[in-house]
Amino acid sequence: ITGGTLNLSAGGTSTATGGLTGSGTLNINGGDLVVSAANGSLGGQTHIASGAAATLTGAGTLGSSAITVSGDLNLNGANAAVANVLSGNGDINTNAAVTLTGNNSFSGAHHIGGAGALTVSQAGNLGASTATVNLDSNTAQLVLNGVSGSIANELSGVSGSTIDIVNGADTSLSADNSDFLGQYALSGNSTLTVASTANLGADSNVALAGTQDRLVLGGFSGIFANTVSGNGILQVADSASVTLTASHGVGSTVTVDI
């Protein structure tokens, strides 16, 4: 596709390594284009229309093309690093171990399935703050790997799903994540800061693996009733006024720092 446009109205399959090349425009206007081989020489633009899909399996890639997702982008290739710049307001469905590395403006919905583990190292990998992240299975994982700063995206997840905060991350949550019912798992000297129960989700729990892993209630005001377990620190900071009830869920091995 050299400077031109390829329009696909019924999807298809691409199985040959380097089968898609050039710096033109690939429009997937209908159906599902299933790509199972690497296409390192594909640049330009890829547009996935509403009602259409692109599915990346195995080693499948869309090269370095900028991808506009108005329909569905299905990331099914295990251990894949996706550096493409992602935009649009459709759905990105992660069904394998995938790392996003681009600085994205995507504003739609991330869906992480049962075999999905979506890893990001900065908030911009998820897209705009209006993009939502939905952990749709009890084995779904969102990995915040060394993320420093605020995650303003709305997070939801079923019971048993996990948000891993790892590798020295210093992350704050600022959205209303009331629909997150799973677990935040901190490890590797990581910190998670919240200002309200809604930032965590009232029915979520927090596991602090190491003695330097820390949940910070920064400016928090009111009753804190989430279960906190492990060997880390529950810190009350920034003039917070926190009430723990007699039935609180803070484990006996958690250090409370006021």
Side-chain angles (χ1 to χ4, degrees), residues 32-36 46 48 53-63 65 67 69 71-86 91-102 104 106 109-120 125-126 141-142:
D32 184 5
L33 174 63
V34 179
V35 182
S36 58
T46 298
I48 306 169
T55 298
L56 306 184
T57 68
T61 73
L62 290 169
S65 66
I67 304 174
V69 184
D72 287 271
L73 174 60
N74 302 314
L75 303 177
N76 296 351
N79 301 310
V82 178
N84 307 74
V85 174
L86 306 172
D91 293 299
I92 297 176
N93 305 306
T94 300
N95 301 297
V98 174
T99 300
L100 300 182
T101 63
N104 301 314
F106 177 73
H110 292 275
H111 291 277
I112 306 174
L118 179 63
T119 297
V120 299
N125 298 149
L126 292 171
Q141 291 177 276
L142 171 65

Side-chain angles (χ1 to χ4, degrees), residues 160-222:
S161 61
T162 305
I163 296 176
D164 295 298
I165 301 167
V166 301
N167 197 23
D170 187 359
T171 306
S172 61
L173 302 179
S174 59
D176 183 347
N177 302 316
S178 298
D179 290 330
F180 183 71
L181 310 178
Q183 180 180 86
Y184 298 92
L186 280 69
S187 63
N189 300 338
S190 295
T191 299
L192 175 63
T193 301
V194 296
S196 71
T197 295
N199 296 152
L200 284 175
D203 295 318
S204 68
N205 65 85
V206 182
L208 305 170
T211 58
Q212 297 304 309
D213 294 310
R214 188 182 304 262
L215 173 63
V216 179
L217 305 180
F220 190 105
S221 179

Side-chain angles (χ1 to χ4, degrees), residues 207-214 228-234 251-255:
L208 305 170
T211 58
Q212 297 304 309
D213 294 310
R214 188 182 304 262
V228 182
S229 62
N231 301 302
I233 301 168
L234 174 63
S252 60
T253 57
V254 175
T255 299

